[in-house]
Amino acid sequence: MLLPRLVGSRITRVHCGPPSYFFLTPPQRIGQELPGQRVDTMERRGKYLLLSLSNRASLLLHLGMTGQLFFADAASPRLMTARNQAPARGKHGLFVPDSHTHLVLGLSTAGADLVFRDVRKFGKVRLLAAGQSDPRLDKLGPDALSVETGPLQAAGSKRTTPIKTLLLDQRVLAGVGNIYADEALFHAGVRPGRAANRVSGKEYHRVAAAVRRVLARSIETGGSSISDYVRPSGADGGYQNERRVYARQGEPCSACGTAIRRIVVGQRSSHFCPTCQR
DNA sequence: CGTTACACCTGAGGGC
DNA sequence: TGCCCTCAGGTGTAAC
């Protein structure tokens, strides 16, 4: 759990990697402005995390595809560094920053540093001044965890784009990614490539319910550790073991036995059961 | 405005 | 061993 260990703690020390695609705010500025600040609150906005600090500034984080946010006392095989080498361990077995470690926050009460690692650098960190907004946050639609049929259907009924692309559009729905779009559409019985404006009201009802259920279950099980994701404790999540279709092409459908297929929808790898999904 | 293609970045794995 | 290809939990932007 990130929040109980982080909120209320003071940032005592900051280590940043070199400037890169990862940093929306130059690392040098982050290193200057964070030390001494207490983390007052942490909230999730879609796939973003927003920490509010005692000086009224905020720290905005996004994990991208391969981002890892964990405490340095974590031990996990997914923290392998270059060429699948186990990470070096410092005193007390603590994680030692490698070339993919972009941000480390020393914390007064958390018991270990908070580490942000990201191989591909699609993750992001940005420091927001007091009252400053961010266009990424401003554009987010309603949270997917509590999506309702009506607004989703209203957004989709005007569009010819595939239903899956609609679910991935963060302006329509904030928080659904490629795994959960495929999984939700499986549970709803709707093919990912179907045009959004040709999905019935009854189907939108099932899609909305499936999005809520799949995301809630993923939170319960700690997320999907398929390539890089780790929980803040360093442990793997459990939702990868509950996947019905994602990255299961060629395997028999758990409901009917038909081979799961993989197609490309909206430039994203997409998986479905041709029998269960129409 | 809606839709699509592509760029960004790094590494793993497969074929030859 | 090396080279070249494809693929990967995301999103911003350009072009039609």
Side-chain angles (χ1 to χ4, degrees), chain A residues 36-54:
Chain A
Q37 300 308 315
R38 190 183 57 241
V39 180
D40 284 337
T41 66
M42 181 181 87
E43 56 185 307
R44 181 186 62 79
R45 304 261 187 102
K47 301 179 192 175
Y48 292 87
L49 285 180
L50 191 60
L51 313 190
S52 70
L53 308 175
S54 41

Side-chain angles (χ1 to χ4, degrees), chain A residues 11-263:
Chain A
I11 299 170
T12 55
R13 188 181 54 82
V14 174
H15 166 79
C16 288
S20 72
Y21 190 65
F22 176 86
F23 286 102
L24 295 174
T25 300
Q28 189 220 0
R29 251 195 70 210
I30 289 175
Q32 278 170 0
E33 299 190 23
L34 288 189
Q37 300 308 315
R38 190 183 57 241
V39 180
D40 284 337
T41 66
M42 181 181 87
E43 56 185 307
R44 181 186 62 79
R45 304 261 187 102
K47 301 179 192 175
Y48 292 87
L49 285 180
L50 191 60
L51 313 190
S52 70
L53 308 175
S54 41
N55 68 350
R56 318 291 294 172
S58 304
L59 191 67
L60 183 63
L61 307 176
H62 192 296
L63 293 184
M65 303 265 277
T66 53
Q68 300 177 313
L69 200 54
F70 59 93
F71 290 98
D73 55 1
S76 165
R78 290 187 198 273
L79 303 182
M80 293 298 195
T81 60
R83 297 225 315 197
N84 261 349
Q85 298 302 301
R89 293 281 164 182
K91 267 183 245 195
H92 313 300
L94 298 183
F95 178 87
V96 173
D98 65 335
S99 64
H100 300 306
T101 301
H102 304 108
L103 183 65
V104 179
L105 302 182
L107 296 163
S108 59
T109 63
D113 294 348
L114 183 66
V115 177
F116 194 167
R117 229 179 139 246
D118 184 5
V119 169
R120 291 179 74 183
K121 302 190 185 91
F122 289 163
K124 292 285 170 274
V125 57
R126 182 181 179 189
L127 189 59
L128 294 169
Q132 188 178 18
S133 64
D134 183 284
R136 295 165 180 77
L137 295 181
D138 296 341
K139 278 185 269 184
L140 293 178
D143 194 88
L145 259 184
S146 51
V147 58
E148 291 172 47
T149 306
L152 185 61
Q153 184 178 357
S157 61
K158 308 163 201 147
R159 310 203 188 181
T160 60
T161 199
I163 179 69
K164 174 169 176 181
T165 303
L166 188 81
L167 295 183
L168 290 176
D169 187 340
Q170 304 297 300
R171 296 166 305 187
V172 172
L173 208 54
V176 176
N178 204 35
I179 297 174
Y180 302 114
D182 281 4
E183 293 301 311
L185 288 170
F186 171 79
H187 289 286
V190 176
R191 292 198 190 194
R194 181 112 65 89
N197 64 359
R198 293 170 62 180
V199 172
S200 72
K202 192 172 159 183
E203 287 170 325
Y204 269 111
H205 183 79
R206 296 206 305 264
V207 170
V211 166
R212 294 191 302 264
R213 174 154 80 96
V214 161
L215 292 180
R217 182 61 185 156
S218 181
I219 289 169
E220 280 175 17
T221 57
S224 301
S225 294
I226 294 171
S227 67
D228 296 276
Y229 178 75
V230 291
R231 306 186 65 177
S233 66
D236 278 2
Y239 197 81
Q240 67 279 6
N241 302 319
E242 309 207 1
R243 279 173 303 137
R244 303 300 191 98
V245 292
Y246 182 81
R248 287 204 185 284
Q249 59 272 31
E251 298 179 32
C253 171
S254 59
C256 76
T258 306
I260 300 302
R261 285 177 52 189
R262 176 191 175 280
I263 59 174

